[in-house]
Amino acid sequence: MEYTLLEKQKEFIEIPHDEELDVAVYQGGFGSGKTWIGSLLGIMLARKYPKSKGLVCAKEYTLLKNTTLVEYLNHLDKMGYLPGKDYKFNKLDHKLTFSNGSEILFKDIDDPEKIKSLNLHWAEIEECSQVSDSSFKQLLARIRKEPRPEWKGFRYRVFCHTNPQPNKGWIWKRFVEEKKPNFRLITAPTTNNIYLP
């Protein structure tokens, strides 16, 4: 399966620095491919690093169930992955398990305490502007699971996506005003998607 990425989507996936942790926000208008590229990156990481553990989260699980999970399953279908053989989704645990041992949890983080016991290699936040700064901080603290020795070039990742925000909240503060070298804000207007009518 081959994908043609938009310029901003490519920028989102590629890491331009040498820090151990990459934290990126893809902020774009309707149709800019935010959920599409986030779910593709999650699958890429699960495939590239066998037995890795990732988390896909949002303020509410309903959002994940109705949009993000659907996009993950669409990608897997297009890639020829067979449910029950190449991957399994446990509806009770909200967990996607791949045949290579990688796991992706789908969880709400309205309460930061809900993720306090997790140790992760990567995490994705759907509509991150709806999530509190305290939940974001707690999530950063959970990205610490030891990588396997055979994972060459591994980097911890937290990647988020959201619509443009009229008010300057924690995203503006962390990714513009107090930006660290490994924090990236990618802005993608709807017009960036050349495939829209």
Side-chain angles (χ1 to χ4, degrees):
M1 181 70 193
E2 290 188 7
Y3 285 98
T4 302
L5 302 182
L6 301 171
E7 179 187 347
K8 295 294 183 178
Q9 291 174 333
K10 189 176 179 184
E11 184 182 340
F12 180 64
I13 283 184
E14 295 175 348
I15 301 176
H17 56 77
D18 296 324
E19 302 289 330
E20 186 180 30
L21 167 68
D22 180 67
V23 186
V25 170
Y26 190 86
Q27 191 173 57
F30 175 78
S32 58
K34 300 181 295 292
T35 302
W36 186 89
I37 193 62
S39 52
L40 178 61
L41 179 53
I43 291 172
M44 288 170 60
L45 294 172
R47 290 178 60 187
K48 185 174 183 178
Y49 302 112
K51 298 183 181 177
S52 61
K53 189 166 187 176
L55 170 70
V56 180
C57 55
K59 183 178 179 181
E60 298 174 352
Y61 179 73
T62 305
L63 177 62
L64 297 175
K65 180 182 176 184
N66 294 338
T67 60
T68 322
L69 177 58
V70 171
E71 202 64 72
Y72 267 83
L73 297 177
N74 284 341
H75 278 305
L76 291 171
D77 184 52
K78 289 178 183 175
M79 291 175 180
Y81 273 50
L82 300 174
K85 180 185 176 187
D86 300 312
Y87 73 91
K88 294 177 183 176
F89 182 71
N90 185 314
K91 291 182 180 180
L92 188 63
D93 295 332
H94 305 177
K95 182 168 66 175
L96 190 61
T97 305
F98 290 80
S99 56
N100 69 356
S102 290
E103 295 179 349
I104 303 176
L105 304 173
F106 291 79
K107 199 170 184 62
D108 70 271
I109 55 167
D110 189 32
D111 179 2
E113 296 295 313
K114 289 182 178 180
I115 59 170
K116 210 168 184 179
S117 62
L118 295 178
N119 287 314
L120 305 163
H121 294 111
W122 61 267
E124 173 185 2
I125 309 177
E126 174 77 49
E127 286 299 341
C128 62
S129 61
Q130 297 177 4
V131 172
S132 67
D133 185 46
S134 58
S135 290
F136 177 73
K137 283 169 59 179
Q138 181 67 260
L139 185 61
L140 287 179
R142 308 326 306 164
I143 308 298
R144 63 184 191 183
K145 190 168 179 65
E146 188 72 25
R148 298 177 68 84
E150 63 269 23
W151 293 352
K152 304 303 178 190
F154 173 80
R155 230 91 69 81
Y156 292 105
R157 298 186 78 156
V158 174
F159 48 100
C160 321
H161 33 92
T162 190
N163 291 312
Q165 297 305 300
N167 302 316
K168 295 179 180 178
W170 66 266
I171 296 174
W172 178 265
K173 180 182 177 183
R174 290 182 176 274
F175 289 84
V176 178
E177 291 181 341
E178 301 174 4
K179 183 183 178 302
K180 296 178 181 178
N182 60 331
F183 277 53
R184 303 183 292 127
L185 177 63
I186 296 100
T187 305
T190 301
T191 52
N192 183 247
N193 191 345
I194 59 174
Y195 301 105
L196 291 175

